[in-house]
Amino acid sequence: MNFVPLTLYLMVMTITPGPNNLVLASSGVRFGFSRTLPALLGMALGLACQIAILAVALGHIKELMTDLQLWLALAGCSYLLWLAWQMTRAGQPGEAGDTARPMGFAGGVLFNWLNPNVWLMGVNLALLFLPSGMPLWQAGGLFAVVAFMVALPCIGVWAWGGVALARFLRSPRRLAAFNWIMAGLLAGMALWLVADKLPAGVLDGVPFV
């Protein structure tokens, strides 16, 4: 297994803006790093497990993905739009109230499974980096370890970034602007995921698509 390009690929895919990182940044602003840490660990572990499973079951998943892409995108879009709505209603950092809770460890683990891009990334990783001659269980284990070790600090940067922004966002007006910007980005990304998975020609004639 060629670890250098595998590591670089994972770094690029996990540190760039995406639903996971936007949610972690928003959680860092609202709840701080320590309360965001369970979701952070859950997302990294969930990503690692998902990649391992896809690597082991590549032969079956590859054919199934073609039929499931749109449905995964619709399910993920619905959840991301709900999260975007929750972001617009977020309160002052450190004053979230008794009813507001950060995403937990289990939520972080499951979050990736509604993101069709993570599914496609896992398939691409298996196609590009799955070594020939290595038992699938061993390759899947290595994929999981490398993915977890690379993803954890990369997505952690976004949680830390949210914590650093919290001081700047003490002003209610700044916080409201931040929440709406993050919600808009998340909603736009959700809709883009669906549009990207629609059959060819469906959006012909629609501007900006």
Side-chain angles (χ1 to χ4, degrees):
M1 186 177 294
N2 199 334
F3 287 101
V4 174
L6 173 62
T7 301
L8 291 175
Y9 180 85
L10 283 167
M11 287 179 63
V12 171
M13 295 300 293
T14 55
I15 204 169
T16 49
N20 295 36
N21 292 334
L22 293 178
V23 169
L24 288 174
S26 180
S27 181
V29 167
R30 296 185 65 197
F31 303 107
F33 188 80
S34 61
R35 297 185 68 192
T36 302
L37 186 58
L40 172 64
L41 293 172
M43 285 185 184
L45 181 61
L47 176 67
C49 292
Q50 191 171 349
I51 287 175
I53 291 171
L54 287 173
V56 172
L58 175 62
H60 301 288
I61 295 295
K62 184 180 178 182
E63 295 180 1
L64 187 62
M65 280 297 297
T66 302
D67 298 325
L68 290 184
Q69 281 186 37
L70 179 57
W71 298 108
L72 286 169
L74 288 171
C77 176
S78 300
Y79 182 57
L80 294 178
L81 288 175
W82 179 82
L83 282 178
W85 170 244
Q86 293 299 309
M87 284 183 183
T88 64
R89 304 170 63 197
Q92 195 71 20
E95 300 175 1
D98 295 332
T99 59
R101 295 287 185 272
M103 181 184 293
F105 178 79
V109 171
L110 297 174
F111 187 83
N112 298 289
W113 296 83
L114 287 174
N115 187 347
N117 279 2
V118 175
W119 285 81
L120 295 176
M121 182 181 74
V123 172
N124 287 335
L125 278 170
L127 290 173
L128 293 171
F129 301 106
L130 193 64
S132 58
M134 180 181 290
L136 285 177
W137 65 268
Q138 185 178 355
L142 286 174
F143 270 35
V145 171
V146 174
F148 181 80
M149 294 180 65
V150 173
L152 186 61
C154 287
I155 63 178
V157 167
W158 287 80
W160 272 114
V163 174
L165 276 173
R167 295 180 180 178
F168 176 74
L169 299 174
R170 289 295 177 184
S171 163
R173 181 173 296 181
R174 290 175 181 174
L175 177 64
F178 172 82
N179 288 337
W180 278 97
I181 290 172
M182 297 295 281
L185 289 172
L186 193 61
M189 191 170 299
L191 296 174
W192 176 84
L193 287 173
V194 172
D196 189 54
K197 301 301 180 292
L198 289 174
V202 171
L203 295 179
D204 286 352
V206 178
F208 311 116
V209 177

